[in-house]
Coordinates of all heavy atoms in Angstrom, one line a residue:
M12 N 92.0 70.0 -55.9 CA 90.9 70.9 -55.5 C 90.8 72.1 -56.5 O 89.7 72.6 -56.8 CB 91.1 71.3 -54.1 CG 90.0 72.1 -53.5 SD 88.5 71.0 -53.3 CE 87.4 72.2 -52.6
G13 N 91.9 72.6 -56.9 CA 92.0 73.8 -57.8 C 91.4 73.5 -59.1 O 90.7 74.3 -59.7
C14 N 91.6 72.3 -59.6 CA 91.0 71.9 -60.9 C 89.5 71.8 -60.9 O 88.8 72.2 -61.8 CB 91.6 70.6 -61.4 SG 91.1 70.1 -63.0
F15 N 89.0 71.4 -59.7 CA 87.5 71.2 -59.6 C 86.9 72.6 -59.5 O 85.9 72.8 -60.2 CB 87.2 70.5 -58.3 CG 85.7 70.2 -58.1 CD1 85.0 69.4 -59.0 CD2 85.1 70.8 -57.1 CE1 83.7 69.2 -58.8 CE2 83.7 70.6 -56.9 CZ 83.0 69.8 -57.8
S16 N 87.5 73.6 -58.9 CA 86.9 74.9 -58.8 C 87.0 75.6 -60.2 O 86.2 76.4 -60.6 CB 87.6 75.8 -57.7 OG 89.0 76.0 -58.1
F17 N 88.1 75.3 -60.9 CA 88.2 75.8 -62.3 C 87.1 75.3 -63.2 O 86.5 76.0 -64.0 CB 89.6 75.5 -62.9 CG 89.7 75.9 -64.4 CD1 89.8 77.2 -64.7 CD2 89.6 74.9 -65.3 CE1 89.9 77.5 -66.1 CE2 89.7 75.2 -66.7 CZ 89.8 76.5 -67.0
L18 N 86.8 74.0 -63.0 CA 85.7 73.4 -63.8 C 84.4 74.0 -63.5 O 83.6 74.3 -64.4 CB 85.7 71.9 -63.6 CG 84.7 71.1 -64.4 CD1 85.0 71.2 -65.9 CD2 84.7 69.6 -63.9
I19 N 84.1 74.2 -62.2 CA 82.8 74.8 -61.8 C 82.7 76.2 -62.3 O 81.7 76.7 -62.9 CB 82.6 74.8 -60.3 CG1 82.4 73.3 -59.9 CG2 81.5 75.6 -59.8 CD1 82.3 73.1 -58.4
D20 N 83.8 77.0 -62.2 CA 83.9 78.4 -62.7 C 83.7 78.4 -64.2 O 82.9 79.3 -64.7 CB 85.2 79.0 -62.3 CG 85.3 80.5 -62.7 OD1 84.3 81.2 -62.4 OD2 86.4 80.9 -63.1
F21 N 84.3 77.5 -64.9 CA 84.1 77.5 -66.4 C 82.7 77.1 -66.8 O 82.1 77.8 -67.7 CB 85.1 76.4 -67.0 CG 84.9 76.2 -68.4 CD1 85.4 77.2 -69.3 CD2 84.3 75.1 -69.0 CE1 85.3 77.1 -70.7 CE2 84.2 75.0 -70.3 CZ 84.7 75.9 -71.2
I22 N 82.1 76.2 -66.1 CA 80.7 75.8 -66.4 C 79.7 77.0 -66.1 O 78.9 77.3 -66.9 CB 80.3 74.6 -65.6 CG1 81.1 73.3 -66.2 CG2 78.8 74.3 -65.7 CD1 80.9 72.1 -65.4
V23 N 79.9 77.6 -64.9 CA 79.0 78.7 -64.6 C 79.2 79.9 -65.5 O 78.2 80.5 -66.0 CB 79.2 79.2 -63.1 CG1 78.5 80.5 -62.8 CG2 78.8 78.1 -62.2
L24 N 80.4 80.2 -65.9 CA 80.6 81.3 -66.8 C 80.1 81.0 -68.2 O 79.6 81.9 -68.9 CB 82.1 81.7 -66.8 CG 82.6 82.4 -65.6 CD1 84.1 82.7 -65.7 CD2 81.9 83.7 -65.3
S25 N 80.2 79.8 -68.6 CA 79.7 79.4 -69.9 C 78.2 79.5 -70.0 O 77.6 80.0 -71.0 CB 80.1 77.9 -70.3 OG 81.5 77.8 -70.4
I26 N 77.5 79.0 -68.9 CA 76.1 79.2 -68.8 C 75.7 80.6 -68.8 O 74.7 81.0 -69.6 CB 75.5 78.4 -67.6 CG1 75.7 76.9 -67.8 CG2 74.1 78.8 -67.4 CD1 75.4 76.1 -66.5
L27 N 76.3 81.4 -68.1 CA 76.0 82.9 -68.0 C 76.2 83.5 -69.3 O 75.4 84.3 -69.8 CB 76.9 83.5 -66.9 CG 76.7 85.0 -66.7 CD1 75.2 85.3 -66.3 CD2 77.7 85.6 -65.8
E28 N 77.3 83.3 -70.0 CA 77.6 83.9 -71.3 C 76.6 83.4 -72.3 O 76.1 84.3 -73.1 CB 79.0 83.4 -71.7 CG 79.9 84.4 -72.5 CD 79.8 85.8 -72.2 OE1 80.1 86.2 -71.1 OE2 79.5 86.6 -73.1
F29 N 76.2 82.2 -72.4 CA 75.2 81.6 -73.3 C 73.8 82.3 -73.0 O 73.2 82.7 -74.0 CB 75.1 80.1 -73.2 CG 74.1 79.5 -74.1 CD1 74.3 79.5 -75.5 CD2 72.9 79.0 -73.6 CE1 73.4 78.9 -76.3 CE2 72.0 78.4 -74.4 CZ 72.2 78.4 -75.8
W30 N 73.5 82.4 -71.8 CA 72.2 82.9 -71.4 C 72.1 84.4 -71.7 O 71.1 84.9 -72.2 CB 71.9 82.7 -69.9 CG 70.6 83.1 -69.4 CD1 69.4 82.5 -69.6 CD2 70.3 84.3 -68.6 NE1 68.4 83.2 -69.0 CE2 68.9 84.3 -68.4 CE3 71.1 85.2 -68.0 CZ2 68.3 85.2 -67.6 CZ3 70.5 86.2 -67.3 CH2 69.1 86.2 -67.1
L31 N 73.2 85.2 -71.4 CA 73.2 86.6 -71.8 C 73.2 86.8 -73.3 O 72.6 87.8 -73.8 CB 74.5 87.3 -71.2 CG 74.4 87.5 -69.7 CD1 75.8 88.0 -69.2 CD2 73.3 88.4 -69.2
G32 N 73.8 85.9 -74.0 CA 73.7 86.0 -75.5 C 72.3 85.8 -76.0 O 71.9 86.5 -76.9
L33 N 71.6 84.8 -75.4 CA 70.2 84.6 -75.8 C 69.3 85.8 -75.4 O 68.4 86.2 -76.1 CB 69.7 83.4 -75.2 CG 70.1 82.0 -75.7 CD1 69.6 80.9 -74.9 CD2 69.7 81.9 -77.2
M34 N 69.6 86.4 -74.3 CA 68.8 87.6 -73.8 C 69.1 88.8 -74.7 O 68.2 89.6 -74.9 CB 69.2 87.9 -72.4 CG 68.8 86.9 -71.4 SD 67.1 86.7 -71.1 CE 66.8 88.1 -70.0
Q35 N 70.3 88.9 -75.4 CA 70.6 90.0 -76.3 C 69.9 89.9 -77.7 O 70.0 90.8 -78.5 CB 72.1 90.1 -76.5 CG 72.9 90.4 -75.2 CD 72.9 91.8 -74.9 OE1 72.9 92.7 -75.8 NE2 73.0 92.1 -73.6
L36 N 69.3 88.7 -78.0 CA 68.7 88.5 -79.3 C 67.5 89.5 -79.5 O 67.1 89.7 -80.7 CB 68.2 87.1 -79.4 CG 69.2 86.0 -79.5 CD1 68.5 84.6 -79.6 CD2 70.0 86.2 -80.8
I37 N 67.0 90.1 -78.5 CA 65.8 91.0 -78.7 C 66.2 92.3 -79.3 O 65.4 93.0 -79.8 CB 65.1 91.2 -77.3 CG1 63.7 91.7 -77.5 CG2 65.9 92.1 -76.4 CD1 62.8 91.5 -76.3
I38 N 67.5 92.6 -79.4 CA 68.0 93.8 -80.0 C 68.0 93.7 -81.5 O 68.7 92.8 -82.0 CB 69.3 94.2 -79.4 CG1 69.3 94.3 -77.9 CG2 69.8 95.5 -80.1 CD1 70.6 94.5 -77.3
P39 N 67.3 94.5 -82.3 CA 67.3 94.3 -83.7 C 68.7 94.6 -84.3 O 69.4 95.5 -83.8 CB 66.3 95.3 -84.2 CG 65.4 95.7 -83.0 CD 66.3 95.4 -81.8
E40 N 69.0 93.9 -85.3 CA 70.3 94.2 -86.0 C 70.4 95.4 -86.8 O 71.4 95.9 -87.1 CB 70.7 93.0 -86.8 CG 71.0 91.7 -86.1 CD 71.3 90.5 -86.9 OE1 71.1 90.6 -88.2 OE2 71.8 89.5 -86.4
K41 N 69.2 95.9 -87.2 CA 69.1 97.1 -88.1 C 69.5 98.4 -87.4 O 69.9 99.3 -88.0 CB 67.7 97.2 -88.6 CG 67.3 96.1 -89.5 CD 65.9 96.3 -90.0 CE 65.5 95.2 -90.9 NZ 64.1 95.3 -91.4
L42 N 69.4 98.4 -86.0 CA 69.8 99.6 -85.3 C 71.3 99.8 -85.4 O 72.1 98.9 -85.3 CB 69.4 99.5 -83.8 CG 68.0 99.4 -83.5 CD1 67.8 99.2 -82.0 CD2 67.2 100.7 -84.0
Q43 N 71.7 101.1 -85.6 CA 73.1 101.4 -85.8 C 73.5 102.5 -84.8 O 72.7 103.2 -84.3 CB 73.4 101.9 -87.2 CG 73.1 100.9 -88.3 CD 74.0 99.6 -88.2 OE1 75.1 99.7 -87.8 NE2 73.5 98.5 -88.6
G44 N 74.8 102.5 -84.5 CA 75.3 103.6 -83.7 C 75.2 103.5 -82.2 O 75.1 102.4 -81.7
N45 N 75.1 104.7 -81.6 CA 75.0 104.7 -80.1 C 73.8 104.2 -79.6 O 73.8 103.7 -78.4 CB 75.3 106.2 -79.7 CG 76.7 106.6 -79.9 OD1 77.6 105.8 -80.0 ND2 76.8 107.9 -80.1
F46 N 72.6 104.3 -80.3 CA 71.4 103.9 -79.8 C 71.4 102.4 -79.5 O 70.9 101.9 -78.5 CB 70.2 104.2 -80.7 CG 68.9 103.9 -80.2 CD1 68.4 104.6 -79.1 CD2 68.1 103.0 -80.8 CE1 67.1 104.3 -78.6 CE2 66.8 102.7 -80.4 CZ 66.3 103.4 -79.2
R47 N 72.0 101.6 -80.4 CA 72.1 100.2 -80.3 C 73.0 99.8 -79.1 O 72.7 98.9 -78.3 CB 72.7 99.5 -81.6 CG 72.9 98.0 -81.5 CD 73.3 97.5 -82.8 NE 73.7 96.1 -82.7 CZ 73.0 95.1 -82.7 NH1 71.7 95.2 -82.8 NH2 73.5 93.8 -82.7
K48 N 74.1 100.6 -78.9 CA 75.0 100.3 -77.8 C 74.3 100.6 -76.4 O 74.5 99.8 -75.5 CB 76.2 101.2 -77.9 CG 77.2 100.8 -79.0 CD 78.3 101.7 -79.1 CE 79.2 101.4 -80.3 NZ 80.3 102.3 -80.5
V49 N 73.5 101.7 -76.4 CA 72.7 102.0 -75.2 C 71.7 100.9 -74.9 O 71.6 100.4 -73.7 CB 72.0 103.4 -75.3 CG1 71.1 103.6 -74.1 CG2 73.1 104.5 -75.3
I50 N 71.0 100.4 -75.9 CA 70.0 99.3 -75.7 C 70.8 98.1 -75.2 O 70.3 97.3 -74.3 CB 69.2 99.1 -76.9 CG1 68.3 100.3 -77.2 CG2 68.4 97.8 -76.8 CD1 67.5 100.2 -78.4
K51 N 71.9 97.8 -75.8 CA 72.7 96.6 -75.4 C 73.1 96.6 -73.9 O 73.0 95.6 -73.2 CB 73.9 96.4 -76.3 CG 73.6 95.7 -77.6 CD 74.9 95.4 -78.3 CE 75.2 94.0 -78.3 NZ 76.2 93.5 -79.1
V52 N 73.5 97.8 -73.5 CA 73.9 97.9 -72.1 C 72.8 97.8 -71.2 O 72.8 97.1 -70.2 CB 74.7 99.3 -71.9 CG1 74.8 99.6 -70.4 CG2 76.0 99.3 -72.6
L53 N 71.6 98.4 -71.5 CA 70.4 98.3 -70.7 C 69.9 96.8 -70.6 O 69.6 96.3 -69.6 CB 69.3 99.2 -71.2 CG 69.6 100.7 -71.0 CD1 68.5 101.5 -71.7 CD2 69.7 101.0 -69.6
V54 N 69.9 96.1 -71.8 CA 69.5 94.7 -71.8 C 70.5 93.9 -71.0 O 70.1 93.0 -70.2 CB 69.3 94.2 -73.2 CG1 69.2 92.7 -73.3 CG2 68.2 94.9 -73.9
Y55 N 71.8 94.2 -71.1 CA 72.8 93.4 -70.3 C 72.6 93.6 -68.8 O 72.6 92.6 -68.1 CB 74.2 93.9 -70.8 CG 75.3 93.0 -70.2 CD1 75.6 91.8 -70.7 CD2 75.9 93.5 -69.0 CE1 76.6 91.1 -70.2 CE2 77.0 92.7 -68.5 CZ 77.3 91.5 -69.1 OH 78.3 90.8 -68.5
I56 N 72.3 94.8 -68.4 CA 72.1 95.1 -67.0 C 70.9 94.4 -66.5 O 70.9 93.8 -65.4 CB 72.1 96.6 -66.7 CG1 73.4 97.2 -66.9 CG2 71.6 96.9 -65.3 CD1 73.4 98.8 -66.9
F57 N 69.8 94.5 -67.2 CA 68.5 93.9 -66.9 C 68.7 92.3 -66.8 O 68.2 91.7 -65.8 CB 67.4 94.2 -67.9 CG 66.1 93.6 -67.7 CD1 65.3 94.0 -66.6 CD2 65.7 92.6 -68.5 CE1 64.1 93.4 -66.4 CE2 64.4 92.0 -68.3 CZ 63.6 92.4 -67.2
S58 N 69.4 91.8 -67.8 CA 69.6 90.3 -67.8 C 70.5 89.9 -66.6 O 70.2 88.9 -66.0 CB 70.3 89.9 -69.1 OG 69.6 90.3 -70.2
F59 N 71.5 90.7 -66.2 CA 72.4 90.3 -65.1 C 71.6 90.4 -63.8 O 71.8 89.6 -62.9 CB 73.6 91.3 -65.1 CG 74.6 90.8 -64.1 CD1 75.4 89.7 -64.3 CD2 74.8 91.5 -62.9 CE1 76.4 89.3 -63.4 CE2 75.7 91.1 -62.0 CZ 76.5 90.0 -62.2
I60 N 70.7 91.4 -63.7 CA 69.9 91.5 -62.5 C 69.0 90.3 -62.4 O 68.8 89.7 -61.3 CB 69.1 92.8 -62.5 CG1 70.0 94.0 -62.3 CG2 68.0 92.8 -61.4 CD1 69.3 95.3 -62.5
L61 N 68.4 89.8 -63.5 CA 67.5 88.6 -63.4 C 68.3 87.4 -63.1 O 67.9 86.6 -62.3 CB 66.8 88.4 -64.8 CG 65.7 89.4 -65.2 CD1 65.2 89.1 -66.6 CD2 64.6 89.3 -64.1
F62 N 69.5 87.3 -63.6 CA 70.4 86.1 -63.3 C 70.8 86.1 -61.8 O 70.8 85.1 -61.2 CB 71.6 86.1 -64.2 CG 72.4 84.8 -64.1 CD1 72.0 83.7 -64.8 CD2 73.5 84.8 -63.3 CE1 72.7 82.5 -64.7 CE2 74.3 83.6 -63.2 CZ 73.9 82.5 -63.9
T63 N 71.1 87.3 -61.3 CA 71.5 87.4 -59.9 C 70.3 87.0 -59.0 O 70.5 86.3 -58.0 CB 72.0 88.8 -59.6 OG1 73.0 89.2 -60.5 CG2 72.5 89.0 -58.2
L64 N 69.1 87.5 -59.3 CA 67.9 87.1 -58.5 C 67.7 85.6 -58.6 O 67.4 85.0 -57.5 CB 66.7 87.9 -59.1 CG 66.6 89.3 -58.7 CD1 65.4 89.9 -59.4 CD2 66.5 89.5 -57.2
M65 N 67.9 85.0 -59.7 CA 67.7 83.6 -59.8 C 68.8 82.8 -59.0 O 68.5 81.8 -58.4 CB 67.7 83.1 -61.3 CG 66.4 83.5 -62.0 SD 66.2 82.7 -63.6 CE 67.7 83.2 -64.5
F66 N 70.0 83.3 -59.0 CA 71.0 82.7 -58.2 C 70.8 82.8 -56.7 O 70.9 81.8 -56.0 CB 72.4 83.3 -58.6 CG 73.5 82.7 -57.8 CD1 74.0 81.4 -58.2 CD2 74.1 83.3 -56.8 CE1 75.1 80.8 -57.5 CE2 75.2 82.8 -56.1 CZ 75.6 81.5 -56.4
I67 N 70.4 84.0 -56.3 CA 70.0 84.2 -54.9 C 68.9 83.3 -54.5 O 68.9 82.7 -53.4 CB 69.7 85.7 -54.6 CG1 71.0 86.5 -54.7 CG2 69.1 85.9 -53.2 CD1 70.8 88.0 -54.7
A68 N 67.9 83.2 -55.3 CA 66.7 82.3 -55.0 C 67.1 80.9 -55.0 O 66.6 80.1 -54.1 CB 65.7 82.5 -56.1
L69 N 68.1 80.5 -55.8 CA 68.5 79.1 -55.8 C 69.2 78.8 -54.5 O 69.0 77.7 -53.9 CB 69.5 78.8 -57.0 CG 69.9 77.4 -57.2 CD1 68.7 76.5 -57.6 CD2 70.9 77.3 -58.4
V70 N 70.0 79.7 -54.0 CA 70.7 79.5 -52.7 C 69.7 79.5 -51.6 O 69.8 78.7 -50.7 CB 71.7 80.6 -52.5 CG1 72.3 80.6 -51.1 CG2 72.9 80.5 -53.5
G71 N 68.7 80.3 -51.7 CA 67.6 80.3 -50.7 C 66.8 79.0 -50.7 O 66.4 78.6 -49.6
M72 N 66.6 78.5 -51.8 CA 65.9 77.2 -51.9 C 66.7 76.0 -51.3 O 66.1 75.1 -50.7 CB 65.5 76.8 -53.3 CG 64.3 77.6 -53.9 SD 63.7 77.0 -55.4 CE 64.9 77.7 -56.6
I73 N 68.0 76.1 -51.4 CA 68.8 75.1 -50.9 C 69.0 75.2 -49.4 O 68.9 74.2 -48.6 CB 70.2 75.1 -51.6 CG1 70.0 74.7 -53.1 CG2 71.2 74.1 -51.0 CD1 71.2 74.9 -53.9
F74 N 69.3 76.4 -48.9 CA 69.7 76.6 -47.5 C 68.7 77.2 -46.6 O 69.0 77.4 -45.4 CB 71.0 77.4 -47.4 CG 72.2 76.8 -48.1 CD1 72.7 77.3 -49.3 CD2 72.7 75.6 -47.7 CE1 73.8 76.7 -49.9 CE2 73.8 75.0 -48.3 CZ 74.3 75.6 -49.4
G75 N 67.5 77.5 -47.1 CA 66.6 78.3 -46.3 C 65.6 77.4 -45.5 O 65.5 76.2 -45.7
D76 N 64.8 78.1 -44.7 CA 63.7 77.4 -44.0 C 62.5 77.3 -44.9 O 62.6 77.7 -46.1 CB 63.4 78.1 -42.7 CG 63.0 79.5 -42.9 OD1 63.1 80.0 -44.0 OD2 62.6 80.2 -41.9
E77 N 61.4 76.9 -44.4 CA 60.2 76.7 -45.3 C 59.7 78.0 -45.9 O 59.4 78.0 -47.1 CB 59.1 76.0 -44.5 CG 57.9 75.6 -45.3 CD 56.9 74.8 -44.6 OE1 57.3 74.1 -43.6 OE2 55.8 74.8 -45.0
Y78 N 59.6 79.0 -45.1 CA 59.1 80.3 -45.7 C 60.1 80.9 -46.7 O 59.7 81.4 -47.8 CB 58.9 81.3 -44.5 CG 58.5 82.7 -45.0 CD1 57.2 82.8 -45.5 CD2 59.3 83.8 -45.1 CE1 56.7 84.1 -46.0 CE2 58.9 85.0 -45.6 CZ 57.6 85.1 -46.0 OH 57.2 86.3 -46.5
T79 N 61.4 80.8 -46.4 CA 62.4 81.2 -47.4 C 62.4 80.4 -48.6 O 62.5 81.0 -49.7 CB 63.8 81.2 -46.7 OG1 63.8 81.9 -45.5 CG2 64.9 81.7 -47.7
R80 N 62.1 79.2 -48.6 CA 62.0 78.3 -49.8 C 60.8 78.7 -50.6 O 60.9 78.7 -51.8 CB 61.9 76.8 -49.4 CG 63.2 76.3 -48.9 CD 63.1 74.8 -48.6 NE 64.4 74.4 -48.1 CZ 64.6 73.4 -47.3 NH1 63.5 72.7 -46.8 NH2 65.8 73.1 -46.8
M81 N 59.7 79.1 -49.9 CA 58.5 79.5 -50.7 C 58.8 80.8 -51.4 O 58.4 80.9 -52.6 CB 57.3 79.6 -49.7 CG 56.0 80.0 -50.4 SD 54.7 80.4 -49.3 CE 55.3 81.9 -48.6
V82 N 59.4 81.7 -50.7 CA 59.7 83.0 -51.4 C 60.7 82.8 -52.5 O 60.6 83.4 -53.5 CB 60.1 84.0 -50.3 CG1 60.6 85.3 -51.0 CG2 59.0 84.3 -49.3
S83 N 61.7 82.0 -52.2 CA 62.8 81.7 -53.2 C 62.2 81.1 -54.5 O 62.7 81.4 -55.5 CB 63.8 80.9 -52.6 OG 64.5 81.5 -51.5
K84 N 61.2 80.2 -54.3 CA 60.6 79.6 -55.5 C 60.0 80.7 -56.4 O 60.1 80.7 -57.6 CB 59.6 78.5 -55.1 CG 60.2 77.3 -54.6 CD 59.1 76.3 -54.3 CE 59.8 75.0 -53.6 NZ 58.7 74.1 -53.2
K85 N 59.3 81.6 -55.8 CA 58.7 82.7 -56.6 C 59.8 83.6 -57.1 O 59.7 84.0 -58.3 CB 57.7 83.5 -55.7 CG 56.5 82.7 -55.3 CD 55.6 83.5 -54.4 CE 54.5 82.7 -53.9 NZ 53.6 83.4 -52.9
L86 N 60.8 83.8 -56.3 CA 61.9 84.7 -56.8 C 62.7 84.0 -57.9 O 63.4 84.7 -58.7 CB 62.8 85.0 -55.6 CG 63.9 86.1 -55.8 CD1 63.2 87.4 -56.1 CD2 64.7 86.2 -54.6
F87 N 62.6 82.7 -58.0 CA 63.3 82.0 -59.1 C 62.5 81.9 -60.4 O 63.0 82.2 -61.4 CB 63.7 80.6 -58.6 CG 64.5 79.8 -59.6 CD1 65.8 80.0 -59.8 CD2 63.8 78.8 -60.4 CE1 66.5 79.3 -60.7 CE2 64.5 78.1 -61.3 CZ 65.9 78.3 -61.5
F88 N 61.2 81.6 -60.2 CA 60.4 81.3 -61.4 C 59.9 82.6 -62.1 O 59.7 82.5 -63.3 CB 59.3 80.3 -61.1 CG 59.7 78.9 -60.8 CD1 59.7 78.4 -59.6 CD2 60.2 78.2 -61.9 CE1 60.1 77.1 -59.4 CE2 60.7 76.9 -61.7 CZ 60.6 76.3 -60.5
I89 N 59.7 83.7 -61.4 CA 59.3 84.9 -62.0 C 60.4 85.4 -63.0 O 60.1 85.7 -64.1 CB 58.9 85.9 -61.0 CG1 57.6 85.5 -60.3 CG2 58.7 87.3 -61.6 CD1 57.1 86.3 -59.2
P90 N 61.7 85.6 -62.5 CA 62.7 86.0 -63.5 C 62.9 85.0 -64.6 O 63.2 85.3 -65.7 CB 64.0 86.1 -62.7 CG 63.5 86.4 -61.3 CD 62.2 85.6 -61.2
L91 N 62.7 83.7 -64.3 CA 62.9 82.7 -65.3 C 61.8 82.8 -66.4 O 62.1 82.7 -67.6 CB 62.8 81.3 -64.7 CG 63.1 80.1 -65.6 CD1 64.6 80.2 -66.1 CD2 62.9 78.8 -64.9
G92 N 60.6 83.1 -66.0 CA 59.5 83.4 -66.9 C 59.8 84.6 -67.8 O 59.5 84.6 -69.0
I93 N 60.2 85.7 -67.1 CA 60.6 86.9 -67.9 C 61.7 86.6 -68.9 O 61.6 87.1 -70.0 CB 61.0 88.0 -66.9 CG1 59.8 88.4 -66.0 CG2 61.6 89.2 -67.6 CD1 60.1 89.4 -64.9
S94 N 62.7 85.9 -68.5 CA 63.8 85.5 -69.4 C 63.3 84.7 -70.6 O 63.7 84.9 -71.7 CB 64.8 84.7 -68.6 OG 65.4 85.5 -67.6
A95 N 62.4 83.7 -70.3 CA 61.8 82.9 -71.4 C 61.1 83.7 -72.4 O 61.2 83.5 -73.6 CB 61.0 81.8 -70.8
V96 N 60.3 84.7 -71.9 CA 59.5 85.6 -72.8 C 60.5 86.4 -73.6 O 60.3 86.6 -74.8 CB 58.5 86.4 -72.0 CG1 57.9 87.5 -72.8 CG2 57.4 85.6 -71.4
Q97 N 61.5 87.0 -73.0 CA 62.5 87.8 -73.7 C 63.2 87.0 -74.7 O 63.4 87.5 -75.8 CB 63.4 88.5 -72.7 CG 64.4 89.4 -73.3 CD 65.2 90.2 -72.3 OE1 64.9 90.2 -71.2 NE2 66.3 90.8 -72.8
I98 N 63.6 85.8 -74.4 CA 64.4 85.0 -75.3 C 63.4 84.6 -76.5 O 63.8 84.6 -77.7 CB 65.0 83.7 -74.7 CG1 66.1 84.2 -73.7 CG2 65.4 82.7 -75.7 CD1 66.6 83.1 -72.8
G99 N 62.2 84.3 -76.2 CA 61.2 83.9 -77.2 C 61.0 85.1 -78.2 O 61.0 85.0 -79.4
L100 N 60.8 86.3 -77.6 CA 60.6 87.5 -78.4 C 61.9 87.8 -79.3 O 61.8 88.2 -80.4 CB 60.3 88.7 -77.6 CG 58.9 88.7 -77.0 CD1 58.7 89.9 -76.0 CD2 57.8 88.7 -78.1
G101 N 63.0 87.5 -78.7 CA 64.3 87.7 -79.4 C 64.4 86.8 -80.6 O 64.8 87.2 -81.7
L102 N 64.0 85.5 -80.4 CA 64.0 84.6 -81.5 C 63.0 85.0 -82.6 O 63.3 84.9 -83.8 CB 63.7 83.2 -81.0 CG 64.8 82.5 -80.2 CD1 64.3 81.2 -79.6 CD2 66.0 82.3 -80.9
I103 N 61.9 85.5 -82.2 CA 60.9 86.0 -83.2 C 61.5 87.2 -83.9 O 61.3 87.3 -85.2 CB 59.6 86.4 -82.5 CG1 58.9 85.1 -82.0 CG2 58.6 87.2 -83.4 CD1 57.7 85.3 -81.1
V104 N 62.1 88.2 -83.2 CA 62.7 89.3 -83.9 C 63.8 88.9 -84.9 O 63.8 89.4 -86.0 CB 63.3 90.3 -82.8 CG1 64.2 91.3 -83.4 CG2 62.2 91.0 -82.0
R105 N 64.6 87.9 -84.5 CA 65.6 87.5 -85.4 C 65.0 86.8 -86.7 O 65.5 87.0 -87.8 CB 66.6 86.5 -84.7 CG 67.4 87.1 -83.7 CD 68.4 88.0 -84.3 NE 69.0 88.8 -83.2 CZ 70.1 89.4 -83.3 NH1 70.8 89.5 -84.5 NH2 70.6 90.1 -82.3
N106 N 64.0 86.0 -86.5 CA 63.4 85.3 -87.6 C 62.7 86.3 -88.5 O 62.8 86.1 -89.8 CB 62.4 84.2 -87.1 CG 63.1 83.0 -86.6 OD1 64.3 82.7 -87.0 ND2 62.5 82.3 -85.8
V107 N 62.0 87.3 -88.0 CA 61.4 88.3 -88.8 C 62.4 89.1 -89.6 O 62.2 89.4 -90.7 CB 60.4 89.1 -88.0 CG1 59.9 90.4 -88.7 CG2 59.2 88.3 -87.5
G108 N 63.5 89.4 -88.9 CA 64.5 90.2 -89.5 C 65.3 89.4 -90.6 O 65.7 90.0 -91.6
K109 N 65.4 88.1 -90.5 CA 66.0 87.3 -91.5 C 65.2 87.1 -92.8 O 65.7 87.0 -93.9 CB 66.4 85.9 -90.9 CG 67.4 86.0 -89.8 CD 68.8 86.2 -90.3 CE 69.7 86.1 -89.1 NZ 71.1 86.5 -89.4
K110 N 63.8 87.1 -92.6 CA 62.9 86.9 -93.7 C 62.8 88.1 -94.6 O 62.5 88.0 -95.8 CB 61.5 86.5 -93.2 CG 61.5 85.1 -92.6 CD 60.1 84.8 -92.1 CE 60.1 83.4 -91.5 NZ 58.8 83.0 -91.0
K111 N 63.1 89.3 -94.1 CA 63.0 90.5 -94.9 C 64.2 90.7 -95.8 O 65.2 90.4 -95.9 CB 62.8 91.7 -94.0 CG 61.5 91.7 -93.4 CD 61.2 93.0 -92.7 CE 59.8 93.0 -92.1 NZ 59.5 94.2 -91.4

């Protein structure tokens, strides 16, 4: 049983770390010093809040009644859309930065 919980923990943490890394792509590499660190912390907090909302919504979709499932679907797909836009913009920022 302990090995199974380790495997689930490893998978969840790997997904979270990969997702947070993608969300951090929006920060330009040209920024230096404390300003970059402040932006990284703010993006990290924002990303963690979005991930937490999606996790709560996923639990609500699984264990909730009909109304809770409807609200949970909205609570899941809105942060997912925001994350997709942020990751897309981050990829664009990285590609523009690499071409210069």
